[in-house]
Amino acid sequence: MIPDWSAERREMIDRQLRGRGIRDERVLRAMSGVPREEFVPLELRILAYSDGPVGIGCGQTISQPYMTALMAQELELDGSETVLEVGAGCGYAAAVLGALAARVVTVEIVPALAELARSNLRRTGRDGNVLVVRGDGSMGYSPGAPYNAISVAAAAPDVPISLLEQVRDPGRVVIPVGTREDQALRVIRKRGGRIDYRTGVQCRFVPLRGGEGWH
Ligand code: SAH
């Protein structure tokens, strides 16, 4: 039997997102519009709307829907922004951010995953305003800078300075910061030349690799 994906998607929105306090209607609408099953490997598609991360190959994961929603909500996008994502993975979060902002640049360090993200975005018709760049994004991506918002989908020991330099004023950065096993989502705001931050929910992401990540 073929699962009823739109029913599963509605249930995800109600239980996992609204039920846990995601209130930004634009985020909820964006996640209602992106077919998450298309971003999960065929053999794991049955888990596409499960309440946790799912393997996508190369030891990496598609993030839990709630984390994708929360990070997008924290960026407070209105549709006019240029957004940098570090860690495209399968391209799902990039598709969601693409529905919320004017333009998205997403960097992926694993070549096979950069290719996977590209093909998933193309197949779902989400590649119009999303550029996938293959490379180390731990120091951002200067050719596209400055960005109105930056979302980092892998955990770092600390906030890379380059990301703070590449975000506009005013602008926002969300990034999981902590140890390899345990992190908290950090929400950073640049405004009037000042940078302040807030520590949000506990989380567990795959490690950020490369120059400003874990070696
Ligand atoms: N955005 C994804 C989640 C991807 S998981 C989603 O839609 O759910 C995090 C990804 O970050 C992995 O694919 C990993 O390969 C990638 N990554 C880790 N370090 C990186 C780096 N320095 N630059 C770019 N990508 C990186």
Side-chain angles (χ1 to χ4, degrees), residues 13 30 51 56 119-120 122 127 132 148 159 170 184 194 213:
I13 302 283
D51 190 10
I56 55 169
S119 76
N120 287 343
R122 200 180 308 126
D127 57 339
V132 180
N148 303 97
V159 183
R194 287 189 36 172

Side-chain angles (χ1 to χ4, degrees), residues 60-63 85 87-89 93 107-110 113 136-137 153 209:
Q60 306 302 321
T61 54
I62 177 173
S63 302
E85 184 193 31
V107 186
E108 174 54 53
I109 201 166
V110 177
L113 293 178
D136 177 4
R209 296 154 56 180

Side-chain angles (χ1 to χ4, degrees), residues 36 39 56-64 68 85-95 106-110 113-114 133-139 152-155 205-213:
R36 189 172 160 90
F39 292 82
I56 55 169
C58 306
Q60 306 302 321
T61 54
I62 177 173
S63 302
Q64 179 191 29
T68 301
E85 184 193 31
V86 179
C90 60
Y92 174 73
T106 183
V107 186
E108 174 54 53
I109 201 166
V110 177
L113 293 178
V133 176
R134 177 180 134 178
D136 177 4
S138 69
M139 285 165 291
V152 183
F205 280 77
V206 298
L208 181 71
R209 296 154 56 180
E212 293 266 355

Side-chain angles (χ1 to χ4, degrees), residues 31-158:
M31 289 186 62
S32 308
V34 179
R36 189 172 160 90
E37 69 278 9
E38 295 287 340
F39 292 82
V40 169
L42 213 43
E43 65 278 14
L44 292 176
R45 229 160 242 200
I46 195 77
L47 300 176
Y49 292 91
S50 64
D51 190 10
V54 177
I56 55 169
C58 306
Q60 306 302 321
T61 54
I62 177 173
S63 302
Q64 179 191 29
Y66 173 68
M67 283 312 308
T68 301
L70 184 62
M71 291 172 87
Q73 176 169 276
E74 294 290 10
L75 293 179
E76 297 184 352
L77 303 169
D78 66 19
S80 64
E81 299 86 356
T82 298
V83 179
L84 172 68
E85 184 193 31
V86 179
C90 60
Y92 174 73
V96 171
L97 293 169
L100 292 167
R103 214 169 85 85
V104 177
V105 177
T106 183
V107 186
E108 174 54 53
I109 201 166
V110 177
L113 293 178
E115 202 36 62
L116 175 70
R118 259 184 218 124
S119 76
N120 287 343
L121 288 159
R122 200 180 308 126
R123 199 180 55 256
T124 53
R126 298 279 167 171
D127 57 339
N129 64 344
V130 181
L131 174 70
V132 180
V133 176
R134 177 180 134 178
D136 177 4
S138 69
M139 285 165 291
Y141 180 67
S142 54
Y147 303 96
N148 303 97
I150 300 179
S151 175
V152 183
D158 209 337

Side-chain angles (χ1 to χ4, degrees), residues 184-204:
L185 193 67
R186 194 171 290 187
V187 182
I188 299 152
R189 196 181 61 172
K190 193 195 247 193
R191 184 179 231 150
R194 287 189 36 172
I195 289 175
D196 41 40
Y197 73 88
R198 168 162 70 71
T199 299
V201 297
Q202 291 297 116
C203 51
R204 187 169 181 177

